[in-house]
Amino acid sequence: MLRRRLTRLFGGDERRVDSRTIYVGHRPCPATEAFIPPKFCDNRIVSSKYTVWNFLPKNLFEQFRRIANFYFLIIFLVQVIVDTPTSPVTSGLPLFFVITVTAIKQGYEDWLRHKADNEVNKYLVTVLEDGLRTRKESEKIKVGDVVEVVEDETFPCDLILLQSSREDDTCFVTTASLDGESNHKTHYTVPDTVKDLDSLNATIECEQPQPDLYKFVGRMHIYRNDHEPAVRSLGPENLLLKGATLKNTEKIYCVAVYTGMETKMALNYQGKSQKRSAVEKSINAFLLVYLCILVSKALVCTTLKYVWQSKPGQDEPWYNEKTQRERDSNLYLKMFTDFLSFMVLFNFIIPVSMYVTVEMQKFLGSFFITWDKDFYDPEIQEGALVNTSDLNEELGQVEYVFTDKTGTLTQNNMEFIECCIDGFQYKYRDAGTELDGFCVTDGPVSKLQQKAGREKEELFLRALCLCHTVQVKEPTGQLREQVDGLGLGLGRGRGLGLGLGLGLGLDGEGLPQEEQTGFIASSPDEVALVKGAMKYGFTFLGLESKNMKILNRNNDVEVYELLHVLNFDPVRRRMSVIVRSKSGDTLLFCKGADSSIFPRVRQEEVERIRMHVERNATEGYRTLCVAYKQLSEDEYAQADAGLREARLALQDREERLLTIYNQVETGMSLIGATAVEDRLQEEAAHTMEALQGAGMKVWVLTGDKMETAKSTCYACRLFQRGTELLELTVRTLEEGGRKREERLHELLLEYHRKAVQDAPPVKAGGVTSWSTANQDYGFIIDGATLSMVLNSSPDSNSSLYKSLFLQICQNCTSVLCCRMAPLQKAQIVKMVKNSKGSPITLSIGDGANDVSMILEAHVGIGIKGKEGRQAVRNSDYAVPKLKHLKKLLLAHGHLYYVRIAHLVQYFFYKNLCFILPQFLYQFFCGYSQQPLYDAAYLTMYNICFTSMPILAYSLLEQHICMEILLDNATLYRGIAKNGMLRWGPFLYWTLLGIYQGLLFFFGVRYLFSNPALQDNGQVFGNWSYGTIVFSILVFTVTLKLALDTRHWTWINHFVIWGSLAFYVFFSFFWGGIIWPFLKQQRLYFVFANMLSSVSAWLVIILLIMLSLLPDILLVVFRKPRGPRAPQLSEEPVLQRSRWPQSHRCPTST
C-alpha cells in the first residue's frame, strides 16, 4: 500500500488539485461542527529493504530472478528428484555458497540502513501538548503537532514556521544534508500569528506531498473570536525541511505538515534507476552461448546412447540385466530422464561462482578509487566517493562526455571585474595607481575620459546593493566594533574612487580573514556583485525587519523598505525587488540575463550597453544587465494586489505569479551591466585535451550565454583556432529573413553536407570511429533551436531533423549547447545514448540543474563544488575537481575494464576446460553418465581450487603502469567499444579451452594405452584417470593466469602458489582418510598411488607444458613494443590483455 502511494506521488501528477487540511495543535476550529481528525502517515523513516520476517523469502526471490541462480536451482532439484550420475551436493553446495555470500552482503547493507533509520526515528524532540512541553521520539510526531526546535537541532519533519525568538520574525537554516549548501538561508514566520501558541486557532490548507524541494503552495486560516478568519499565504520561505538545521536562532516553534515517508527529503531519495554495465550484458550473451553448448552436448550424448543401445546385446548385456520395472518404463520418459542426467553431468560449464567473484571484484575494487591519494583535495579535505560499484568497468568504455560549464569547467568562484554604466566602462583598479577609477567607453574615442554622471552611477550601485537575496553574517564582540569603526577611516574624495578605501578595508586589512566573505547567498554571483558595489563605495549593511540598509559613499546610511521580492527562476532568467525609499518613491530594480532584460527596456538604451555585454561575453565573463523602474501609486497598488492574490492561490500559483512578474517588469530603464569572472578549473584544458586524445567526444551543456561558453571552450582547448564552427542558434535562423523552420532545414542540410557527406570516410578496421578529418568542426546550438529540432511541429519531419542533427554532432570534435534548461540536458544525453551503436555516455556536473543529465547517462559523475551536493548525491561517482576525471577514466577505468573482461573470459575458459574431458569420456563409457571426476573435485573446483587467483588478478593487475596510461591517452582507444568482450576474443578463449580440454583427455588416454603404470604391474582405474586429468587441469588454468599476470604482488604469489598447494594437500587429505559419512570412497589413496608412478609425473608435466605452449610462443615471438608505441591502439583485439613485458611499470622512462 505504501509503495502504491509513493508511486502515485512519484507519478509527478502536478495537476492533481486535492489538498490536505491540517489543524494546528489538533484544535478544532469554531467553524467546524464535527471535528474529525484527518489521518496521515506517522513520522517513521524507512529506507531499509527487508524486515526480520520477510528477509529470507524476499531475498531468495530476488536472487533466483537471476538466470544463473535459477538455472542451478533447477539442476539441483533435478539431481534430487531424478537418479543422476552426480550427487546433489555438487551443484547444491556451490549454489548455497553463492546465495549465502550474496544474502550476507545484502543483509549487512540493510542492517546498516536499519541502524541509520533508528537513529533518526528514536531522536528525542520537544512537542507542545495542551500547553506542556513533552519529549517524544521523532517517529511519534503527527501532522498538526506544534514542535519546538532549538539552535543546531535538525528538523524532524517538514514544518511551517509559526514563531521565532528573533525580533524580525525570521530564522536561519542550513540545508547541507539536503543540497550540501552550508550557507544560511532565511525563513519567515507566518504573519499575524498570536504570540501565545496555546490560544492559536488555525488551519493550514496545502498541497499534497511532492518531491520538489523548492516548491510549496499553501495558505493558513487564522481564526479569532467574532472576526472573519485571516488568510495568509504560505510558500517555500515558510517551510522548514526535514534534515535541515537551525542556525543563529535561539528557538523556534513550528507545526508539522508532512511527516515520515511523505517529507520532501524522503520523496527525493526514491526511485533512482538501476544502471547496468555493458559487461553484464556481454556475460548474459556468453551465458546463452554456453547454455546452447550444454544442451547440444546433452542432446548428442542422449542420441548416441540410444543409437549404441539399439545394437544387439548392447542394451541389456548379460552382466547387467534390467529389472521388470525398467523394462516396463516408458521409452520417451527414460530418454527425457537421460537427457536431464546429461544436463546435470555437464552443468558445470555454466560458471555460477563467476557472479559472486564479479560482485566481490566490483565491491572491493571500488575501494581503490576512494583510497587514491591523488583524488584527495586539501581544500575541502575530502577525496573521491563511490556511490555505486556496479559501473567500475564502464569508466573504461566512455565514448561521450557531457559536461556542465559553471562549477565544472570553471571554478564557480566569482570575482567582480568591471561594470558598464550608461555605456561607459568602469574597471576597478588598485587604489595606488588609479584612485579615481579608470573609465573607458565602447563608443567614440572623444568620449574616452567622460563619465556616466554621478546620479546614474549612484542609481546603478544602489541597484547592486538592493536587488539580491544576500544576507549579512552577524558579527560578534570585537568584530562588531571593527565594522562600526569602518566609517571613520573612509575617504572624502569624489567620484567612484571614494569607494576604494572602503573596498580595501573590507577586503584587505580592515577585517580578519574569516570575515572577508561575510555574506550569505544562494548564488556566488550575488555575493560578487554586492562586493563589487563595496569596491565603488556602496556597502550593503543588511536586512532588518523588512528594511534594507545601505552605507553610501558619503558615509550616510540609506534605508529602503523591502516591499516584494520577485524571485529568480530559470524561465524568466531575471529577478527583481520592489522597495520604497524614505522620500516615499516606489522603485523596482531588476537584474538578469541580457536576453531577458533587453526586450523589456527602451531600445535606444540597449545599443549603448549591448557592445559592452558582447565584448565581455567574448572574453569569457558572466554578464548581467541591470534595469530600474519608478512605480506610480496606482501601478504599485495593482501589482501589490495581484501578487498577494496570486500568493494565496493553491492552484497554478507559479503561473499566476509569473504573469504578474511579467506585467510589472515592463517599460524599465536600462542602467548598465556587470562583468563577473568565473576562472577555469585547475588543469581544465589539460584534462579536456587528454579526454579528446583518448577518443572521447566532449559536449558542453550549459545555461550560459553563447559568447561566454564559446570563449570557455577555446580556453579549454575544446575548440582550436583552426576549428570551423557550425552555428545553429536563433541568430543564425533569423539571418535569412525567412521562416525559422525553413532556415533550420536549410542549415541542417548545409552542415550535414560539410561535416558528414564531404568528410573523408573512416579507415576500415579501426577500433574507433574517430578520424583526423573530423577535427576541423565544432558545433554550437542554443536551447531555443534545440527545442525546434527535438520538438518539431507535426507537419515537419522531426525524425529527419533529429537524424541530421545527431549525424552532424557525431562528426564534430566538440559540441557546445548553450542556454540549456536542465530537462534539455537530459534530452541530449538520452538522444546520444539511444543512437546507433548505443555509445557509453558520461555526464559530469556540480549543481542541482545537472542532476537530470547525471541520472540519464550511463555513468554520472558529481563534482564536490560550490553549488550544493545534489549532483554528488545523485551521481555514481564523485570527485573534488574536474582534473581528477582524467585519472578516473584513463587509469582506473582502463584497468577496471581490462581486469573484469579478463575475469569473465577466464571463467568461461576454465569451465570449458573442466567439462570437455567429461563430455569426451562419455564416448568411452557407453554413454552411461559415468562421471570422470570425484564429487569433491566437482564441488571444490570453482569454489576453492581456482577462485582466489582470478579474484586477486581482477583486483591487482596492472598490465600497463598507471603513469604510462596517463601519459598516453591513446591507449584508452585500444579497449573502446567493449573491445575485450567481443565475439572475437570470446572465440579465441573458447578455442583455447577446447584445445586444452582435448589435450588433457587424449594425452592421458595415450598414457593409459598401457595401464600398468606402477612398478608392481598394478593397473590404474577410471578414478586414477580422472584424477590425473583433473590435476593437469588445475595446474594448467592456474599457471595460465600466472603467465597473464604482469603486475606481481605478494598477494598474487600467495593465492596462485597457495591454491596449487591447497589442491595437493586436499587431495592427499581427502584420499588418505576413511570418512565415515561417505557410502563409497572412490579416491581412497588414489592420489598418492598416482604420484608413485614416474609415467604419471612425466605426462602431467608434459601436458601442462603443451597446454601452455601457445601462450609461451605468443610471449616469445610477439614483436616487443615500448610503452609509448603509437601502434599499440592498432593491436589486434585477439591479443587481449597479455601485454609484453616492455609495458610493465618501468623504473625509469
Side-chain angles (χ1 to χ4, degrees):
M1 181 179 171
L2 177 62
R3 180 172 287 186
R4 276 204 309 273
R5 282 185 71 184
L6 286 176
T7 306
R8 194 179 75 232
L9 290 171
F10 262 121
D13 194 357
E14 297 291 340
R15 295 179 186 173
R16 289 191 314 141
V17 295
D18 51 330
S19 58
R20 57 169 55 187
T21 302
I22 297 153
Y23 296 87
V24 177
H26 307 289
R27 284 185 284 275
C29 299
T32 311
E33 294 177 5
F35 173 62
I36 303 169
K39 289 186 179 179
F40 302 109
C41 75
D42 60 23
N43 198 36
R44 278 188 309 124
I45 287 290
V46 182
S47 65
S48 53
K49 197 173 180 180
Y50 308 107
T51 65
V52 175
W53 309 110
N54 73 7
F55 174 72
L56 209 58
K58 195 172 180 181
N59 187 265
L60 288 176
F61 172 73
E62 286 176 351
Q63 290 208 57
F64 284 119
R65 284 167 69 183
R66 250 190 175 153
I67 297 171
N69 289 348
F70 184 70
Y71 162 77
F72 265 84
L73 177 66
I74 297 298
I75 292 292
F76 173 70
L77 293 175
V78 167
Q79 285 179 296
V80 171
I81 297 164
V82 180
D83 182 23
T84 55
T86 56
S87 163
V89 176
T90 55
S91 56
L93 194 62
L95 180 65
F96 176 76
F97 173 74
V98 167
I99 296 294
T100 306
V101 168
T102 310
I104 289 170
K105 176 178 172 277
Q106 292 179 351
Y108 174 70
E109 288 174 352
D110 203 62
W111 176 75
L112 291 177
R113 285 191 285 266
H114 271 284
K115 194 176 172 186
D117 289 347
N118 279 334
E119 283 179 16
V120 174
N121 293 332
K122 302 298 180 186
Y123 180 75
L124 290 177
V125 293
T126 305
V127 178
L128 297 188
E129 289 182 341
D130 302 322
L132 300 172
R133 297 165 75 254
T134 56
R135 298 287 280 174
K136 267 188 183 181
E137 289 178 347
S138 173
E139 63 184 0
K140 293 179 181 173
I141 293 177
K142 297 174 187 164
V143 171
D145 279 350
V146 177
V147 180
E148 177 188 292
V149 182
V150 297
E151 188 172 0
D152 293 327
E153 262 190 354
T154 302
F155 302 127
C157 55
D158 289 354
L159 306 158
I160 291 293
L161 180 59
L162 298 176
Q163 205 175 95
S164 171
S165 60
R166 290 176 60 87
E167 293 177 3
D168 57 0
D169 290 331
T170 63
C171 75
F172 292 105
V173 166
T174 58
T175 55
S177 60
L178 294 170
D179 55 17
E181 292 182 17
S182 55
N183 292 336
H184 293 49
K185 295 181 175 64
T186 311
H187 288 261
Y188 302 90
T189 59
V190 182
D192 302 330
T193 51
V194 291
K195 293 294 179 189
D196 182 15
L197 292 178
D198 294 335
S199 60
L200 177 65
N201 222 330
T203 59
I204 292 172
E205 198 179 346
C206 62
E207 62 185 357
Q208 292 290 1
Q210 51 101 352
D212 191 338
L213 291 176
Y214 308 105
K215 186 180 173 189
F216 176 72
V217 176
R219 59 185 172 216
M220 189 171 182
H221 300 263
I222 303 169
Y223 297 90
R224 297 190 179 90
N225 296 331
D226 305 324
H227 285 88
E228 280 290 314
V231 183
R232 295 290 175 261
S233 68
L234 302 175
E237 68 277 4
N238 308 114
L239 184 70
L240 305 171
L241 299 177
K242 177 183 176 68
T245 307
L246 184 66
K247 292 287 181 185
N248 287 1
T249 311
E250 188 184 332
K251 187 192 296 181
I252 59 170
Y253 292 96
C254 327
V255 60
V257 284
Y258 303 130
T259 52
M261 300 307 290
E262 292 182 341
T263 58
K264 289 183 180 287
M265 186 177 83
L267 294 177
N268 268 281
Y269 279 104
Q270 309 287 332
K272 193 174 174 183
S273 61
Q274 186 67 34
K275 296 180 181 180
R276 289 177 63 212
S277 72
V279 169
E280 199 172 329
K281 294 168 189 170
S282 297
I283 290 174
N284 289 339
F286 297 162
L287 206 63
L288 286 173
V289 172
Y290 270 66
L291 201 58
C292 293
I293 293 173
L294 171 64
V295 172
S296 305
K297 283 182 176 180
L299 280 172
V300 166
C301 285
T302 307
T303 307
L304 291 175
K305 176 176 181 174
Y306 283 91
V307 169
W308 186 72
Q309 285 183 356
S310 65
K311 295 176 183 177
Q314 301 289 4
D315 186 30
E316 194 176 349
W318 58 269
Y319 54 84
N320 190 17
E321 290 187 4
K322 290 183 179 179
T323 61
Q324 189 59 42
R325 186 179 174 184
E326 285 175 330
R327 290 194 185 100
D328 295 340
S329 62
N330 185 292
L331 176 65
Y332 294 106
L333 182 62
K334 188 150 185 1
M335 287 175 76
F336 180 67
T337 308
D338 281 332
F339 172 75
L340 289 179
S341 296
F342 280 119
M343 286 281 287
V344 167
L345 190 63
F346 304 142
N347 82 84
F348 289 95
I349 198 171
I350 306 293
V352 67
S353 59
M354 180 179 69
Y355 282 95
V356 171
T357 312
V358 166
E359 287 285 335
M360 290 173 72
Q361 191 267 353
K362 288 182 174 184
F363 176 68
L364 297 173
S366 62
F367 286 107
F368 290 119
I369 293 176
T370 52
W371 291 339
D372 194 326
K373 290 180 182 177
D374 290 343
F375 291 154
Y376 181 77
D377 182 37
E379 188 181 331
I380 60 171
Q381 296 190 338
E382 288 183 48
L385 177 70
V386 178
N387 290 327
T388 174
S389 58
D390 291 339
L391 303 169
N392 293 344
E393 62 276 9
E394 293 287 82
L395 295 170
Q397 292 294 293
V398 175
E399 295 171 61
Y400 284 86
V401 175
F402 299 93
T403 174
D404 177 40
K405 186 186 80 71
T406 308
T408 305
L409 291 175
T410 60
Q411 294 179 11
N412 200 15
N413 187 11
M414 308 299 176
E415 184 186 345
F416 186 89
I417 298 297
E418 62 179 74
C419 59
C420 165
I421 305 172
D422 199 26
F424 295 91
Q425 178 187 9
Y426 290 84
K427 238 179 189 174
Y428 173 69
R429 296 294 179 93
D430 190 277
T433 57
E434 284 287 345
L435 189 65
D436 205 29
F438 181 64
C439 173
V440 295
T441 179
D442 292 315
V445 180
S446 59
K447 286 182 156 186
L448 188 64
Q449 298 302 324
Q450 294 181 15
K451 295 186 179 178
R454 186 182 182 90
E455 191 179 333
K456 275 280 179 74
E457 291 170 0
E458 292 190 349
L459 184 64
F460 176 81
L461 294 170
R462 281 192 188 95
L464 293 188
C465 284
L466 294 171
C467 188
H468 56 72
T469 55
V470 174
Q471 296 287 332
V472 178
K473 280 186 185 173
E474 291 186 358
T476 56
Q478 182 186 356
L479 188 57
R480 183 178 283 114
E481 292 171 16
Q482 290 184 14
V483 173
D484 292 341
L486 275 174
L488 302 175
L490 294 176
R492 301 286 183 209
R494 296 185 180 184
L496 288 180
L498 281 169
L500 300 179
L502 178 60
L504 289 175
L506 282 172
D507 282 32
E509 300 96 26
L511 291 175
Q513 182 69 25
E514 63 269 14
E515 199 60 30
Q516 285 185 25
T517 53
F519 293 109
I520 303 162
S522 56
S523 163
D525 292 66
E526 293 206 310
V527 175
L529 293 178
V530 171
K531 286 187 171 182
M534 284 167 58
K535 289 177 179 178
Y536 292 116
F538 270 70
T539 307
F540 175 59
L541 298 178
L543 175 69
E544 290 180 18
S545 306
K546 297 253 176 182
N547 287 323
M548 301 181 83
K549 293 183 179 179
I550 297 174
L551 186 69
N552 65 23
R553 54 190 177 187
N554 297 324
N555 292 337
D556 297 328
V557 175
E558 300 179 9
V559 180
Y560 292 86
E561 183 187 355
L562 179 62
L563 301 173
H564 288 285
V565 176
L566 281 55
N567 288 318
F568 175 87
D569 65 71
V571 179
R572 283 165 56 238
R573 296 183 63 80
R574 60 185 182 274
M575 67 90 61
S576 302
V577 293
I578 301 176
V579 295
R580 182 173 289 141
S581 67
K582 273 193 171 179
S583 60
D585 294 333
T586 305
L587 301 167
L588 176 136
F589 290 107
C590 179
K591 71 167 188 264
D594 58 314
S595 57
S596 66
I597 298 285
F598 284 170
R600 299 182 168 272
V601 297
R602 289 193 286 272
Q603 289 311 298
E604 61 270 17
E605 297 171 337
V606 170
E607 295 310 314
R608 293 203 295 270
I609 306 289
R610 188 193 297 276
M611 197 185 300
H612 178 91
V613 170
E614 288 178 354
R615 180 176 53 77
N616 279 336
T618 307
E619 290 169 359
Y621 298 139
R622 291 165 67 89
T623 57
L624 282 176
C625 293
V626 181
Y628 91 106
K629 175 183 179 182
Q630 187 158 347
L631 300 173
S632 66
E633 286 186 18
D634 291 342
E635 283 177 320
Y636 172 69
Q638 187 181 348
D640 182 56
L643 287 168
R644 290 182 188 280
E645 184 185 342
R647 283 175 179 149
L648 284 175
L650 277 184
Q651 297 172 35
D652 305 323
R653 181 184 290 188
E654 312 278 328
E655 290 77 8
R656 292 187 189 189
L657 282 171
L658 194 60
T659 306
I660 304 293
Y661 290 170
N662 287 333
Q663 287 172 3
V664 177
E665 295 168 335
T666 50
M668 298 184 291
S669 296
L670 187 61
I671 320 170
T674 62
V676 174
E677 184 180 21
D678 191 2
R679 298 180 189 278
L680 277 185
Q681 281 271 16
E682 189 183 343
E683 296 180 30
H686 182 63
T687 304
M688 292 298 112
E689 213 167 28
L691 296 185
Q692 285 189 318
M696 294 176 227
K697 302 287 181 101
V698 182
W699 292 31
V700 179
L701 313 182
T702 178
D704 260 8
K705 279 173 61 66
M706 186 189 80
E707 290 79 9
T708 310
K710 190 160 72 172
S711 65
T712 303
C713 286
Y714 274 115
C716 289
R717 299 177 201 159
L718 293 173
F719 293 158
Q720 304 290 340
R721 289 300 163 196
T723 305
E724 184 180 342
L725 298 181
L726 309 177
E727 192 180 316
L728 196 66
T729 59
V730 172
R731 188 168 62 83
T732 55
L733 292 185
E734 290 174 348
E735 277 174 356
R738 280 172 294 164
K739 281 187 177 178
R740 282 188 177 184
E741 195 84 27
E742 293 175 9
R743 180 74 176 145
L744 174 67
H745 187 77
E746 179 189 315
L747 280 173
L748 280 172
L749 288 174
E750 181 190 333
Y751 293 160
H752 185 267
R753 180 181 50 76
K754 262 189 188 180
V756 183
Q757 293 172 10
D758 294 350
V762 181
K763 291 179 184 178
V767 177
T768 56
S769 59
W770 301 283
S771 147
T772 52
N774 296 337
Q775 302 294 312
D776 296 331
Y777 294 106
F779 192 76
I780 300 175
I781 189 169
D782 62 8
T785 315
L786 184 70
S787 297
M788 293 175 66
V789 172
L790 298 180
N791 313 308
S792 306
S793 53
D795 57 328
S796 67
N797 195 345
S798 63
S799 61
L800 173 66
Y801 285 176
K802 269 189 196 177
S803 173
L804 288 172
F805 169 66
L806 194 57
Q807 286 178 50
I808 295 165
C809 290
Q810 286 174 334
N811 278 271
C812 291
T813 323
S814 296
V815 177
L816 168 62
C817 304
C818 47
R819 298 293 200 198
M820 300 280 284
L823 189 61
Q824 286 181 312
K825 292 184 178 185
Q827 284 177 325
I828 286 275
V829 176
K830 188 175 183 180
M831 181 182 69
V832 174
K833 191 170 81 168
N834 297 333
S835 65
K836 187 179 177 184
S838 302
I840 304 297
T841 57
L842 178 145
S843 291
I844 180 166
D846 72 319
N849 59 335
D850 304 315
V851 168
S852 54
M853 74 170 182
I854 283 172
L855 291 175
E856 186 61 53
H858 291 98
V859 184
I861 310 279
I863 299 277
K864 297 179 176 182
K866 300 186 178 180
E867 287 193 23
R869 291 295 171 95
Q870 280 182 312
V872 171
R873 276 208 326 273
N874 288 281
S875 65
D876 303 305
Y877 303 88
V879 289
K881 296 273 177 68
L882 176 76
K883 66 176 182 178
H884 298 137
L885 185 65
K886 179 186 173 185
K887 187 174 185 183
L888 187 68
L889 298 185
L890 302 191
H892 285 286
H894 187 117
L895 292 175
Y896 279 133
Y897 175 75
V898 169
R899 289 165 182 165
I900 201 163
H902 200 286
L903 183 150
V904 170
Q905 300 279 29
Y906 178 80
F907 253 99
F908 282 109
Y909 146 79
K910 76 183 179 73
N911 279 34
L912 183 59
C913 291
F914 180 41
I915 287 303
L916 186 59
Q918 176 73 76
F919 170 67
L920 296 170
Y921 188 57
Q922 298 309 303
F923 291 86
F924 298 90
C925 67
Y927 313 101
S928 60
Q929 296 143 19
Q930 167 68 30
L932 177 62
Y933 312 118
D934 182 65
Y937 286 162
L938 286 169
T939 307
M940 303 280 281
Y941 177 71
N942 277 318
I943 295 178
C944 299
F945 299 150
T946 60
S947 59
M948 292 309 292
I950 184 60
L951 178 61
Y953 176 95
S954 64
L955 287 171
L956 304 169
E957 173 62 1
Q958 289 186 35
H959 63 292
I960 303 178
C961 186
M962 275 199 178
E963 287 76 13
I964 295 171
L965 287 172
L966 289 172
D967 290 343
N968 296 269
T970 49
L971 294 174
Y972 193 87
R973 297 189 185 195
I975 57 165
K977 306 261 185 196
N978 207 12
M980 290 175 61
L981 285 174
R982 289 194 196 140
W983 291 109
F986 176 71
L987 185 63
Y988 171 86
W989 282 95
T990 304
L991 291 173
L992 186 66
I994 292 170
Y995 160 73
Q996 292 184 355
L998 290 168
L999 195 64
F1000 299 159
F1001 184 80
F1002 289 108
V1004 178
R1005 187 173 179 274
Y1006 179 76
L1007 169 72
F1008 270 68
S1009 55
N1010 176 16
L1013 297 172
Q1014 288 180 287
D1015 296 341
N1016 58 8
Q1018 186 180 344
V1019 296
F1020 275 1
N1022 64 319
W1023 294 115
S1024 297
Y1025 188 99
T1027 304
I1028 294 174
V1029 171
F1030 191 79
S1031 300
I1032 297 167
L1033 164 73
V1034 170
F1035 274 82
T1036 301
V1037 296
T1038 306
L1039 292 173
K1040 163 83 175 81
L1041 193 64
L1043 276 175
D1044 284 348
T1045 303
R1046 293 285 171 270
H1047 184 70
W1048 284 91
T1049 65
W1050 68 267
I1051 298 173
N1052 295 92
H1053 283 291
F1054 178 77
V1055 295
I1056 286 177
W1057 314 124
S1059 293
L1060 294 176
F1062 175 73
Y1063 163 68
V1064 174
F1065 171 77
F1066 175 83
S1067 298
F1068 274 118
F1069 188 67
W1070 181 246
I1073 299 173
I1074 297 175
W1075 300 99
F1077 55 84
L1078 293 177
K1079 291 180 184 176
Q1080 67 236 12
Q1081 196 154 346
R1082 298 159 173 169
L1083 288 193
Y1084 185 65
F1085 261 85
V1086 166
F1087 191 75
N1089 239 3
M1090 176 193 81
L1091 294 183
S1092 67
S1093 167
V1094 177
S1095 303
W1097 275 96
L1098 181 65
V1099 164
I1100 289 171
I1101 294 169
L1102 190 63
L1103 289 180
I1104 290 171
M1105 293 295 291
L1106 283 172
S1107 300
L1108 297 174
L1109 191 62
D1111 284 287
I1112 295 167
L1113 290 175
L1114 273 173
V1115 173
V1116 171
F1117 291 110
R1118 185 166 44 191
K1119 184 182 175 183
R1121 286 175 294 213
R1124 303 179 189 277
Q1127 63 268 39
L1128 179 64
S1129 58
E1130 298 168 16
E1131 179 168 358
V1133 175
L1134 292 184
Q1135 292 177 13
R1136 306 174 344 274
S1137 66
R1138 298 191 312 277
W1139 305 83
Q1141 289 293 333
S1142 55
H1143 279 93
R1144 291 184 61 187
C1145 302
T1147 51
S1148 61
T1149 52

